[in-house]
């Protein structure tokens, strides 16, 4: 049997958390390492390894709660922006292999947190083929 991950243990009440939302399928709680004030994780109660492995209806429910918490971050906490992000697989930074969405309120001077997209100066000529290949695979 698969060893329980830390979020399954939280869901099963074996590990405490600072819960902020719960319904039949979704749980949200404060991240133990608050990268900014109010940093929250939203998880499905049923185990799925990550976003990509989660059925659409469950994923929608998790994203719905993430959206609402993002709205509360602005309304209640005074955040000026919010990052909604989810890491899939360890190469993308996933450390807990249970689907979770980070809701990270941003206040404008968030020391130590920098999400940066650097332009890798790709060969622009390769982009039409790349776009077509991905587009075809989606059909
Ligand atoms: P990721 O790196 O995207 O897999 O994020 C995992 C997150 O889980 C990290 O931000 C951790 O701080 C957080 N985390 C790990 N253990 C706990 C815990 N017991 N309670 C709350 N958050 C946790």
């Amino acid at each position: 049997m698969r060893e329980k991950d830390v979020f399954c243990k939280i869901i099963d009440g074996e590990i405490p958390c600072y819960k902020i939302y719960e319904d039949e399928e979704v749980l949200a709680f404060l991240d133990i390492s608050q990268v900014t004030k109010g940093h929250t994780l939203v998880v499905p109660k049923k185990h799925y390894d990550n976003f990509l492995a989660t059925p659409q209806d469950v994923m929608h429910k998790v994203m719905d709660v993430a959206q609402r918490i993002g709205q509360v971050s602005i309304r209640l906490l005074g955040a000026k922006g919010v990052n909604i992000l989810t890491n899939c697989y360890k190469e993308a930074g996933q450390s807990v292999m249970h689907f979770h969405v980070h809701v990270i309120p941003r206040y404008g001077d968030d020391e130590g947190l920098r999400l940066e997209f650097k332009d890798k100066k790709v060969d622009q000529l390769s982009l039409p083929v790349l776009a077509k290949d991905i587009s075809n695979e989606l059909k």
Side-chain angles (χ1 to χ4, degrees):
M1 213 176 84
R2 186 181 58 81
E3 204 186 316
K4 265 191 194 179
D5 61 75
V6 64
F7 297 163
C8 280
K9 288 182 182 168
I10 288 175
I11 290 156
D12 290 348
E14 294 166 20
I15 293 181
C17 72
Y18 293 103
K19 190 196 306 184
I20 62 172
Y21 177 86
E22 180 170 22
D23 63 30
E24 273 183 12
E25 289 171 89
V26 179
L27 181 70
F29 50 91
L30 292 180
D31 193 303
I32 199 92
S33 37
Q34 292 279 285
V35 300
T36 64
K37 188 178 80 175
H39 177 189
T40 296
L41 299 174
V42 189
V43 306
K45 286 186 174 173
K46 190 161 178 212
H47 178 92
Y48 299 101
D49 284 350
N50 59 42
F51 170 82
L52 298 178
T54 301
Q56 204 177 50
D57 59 328
V58 178
M59 182 268 288
H60 285 167
K61 285 173 182 154
V62 170
M63 295 310 288
D64 176 64
V65 174
Q67 183 191 46
R68 289 170 59 198
I69 294 168
Q71 290 163 345
V72 167
S73 305
I74 304 257
R75 204 165 63 230
L76 177 77
L77 301 180
K80 301 282 182 277
V82 182
N83 291 113
I84 307 288
L85 74 93
T86 183
N87 300 322
C88 301
Y89 300 111
K90 72 174 170 40
E91 288 75 7
Q94 186 179 4
S95 62
V96 178
M97 299 300 151
H98 182 125
F99 172 37
H100 55 282
V101 174
H102 294 259
V103 180
I104 306 176
R106 303 299 300 265
Y107 298 95
D109 57 350
D110 308 314
E111 213 177 288
L113 177 61
R114 195 181 176 91
L115 299 176
E116 205 178 353
F117 295 91
K118 274 197 184 140
D119 185 356
K120 291 288 185 206
K121 308 284 178 230
V122 293
D123 173 11
Q124 297 290 317
L125 293 175
S126 69
L127 297 184
V129 175
L130 181 62
K132 198 156 178 244
D133 284 350
I134 297 171
S135 171
N136 285 339
E137 192 64 25
L138 284 172
K139 283 176 188 155

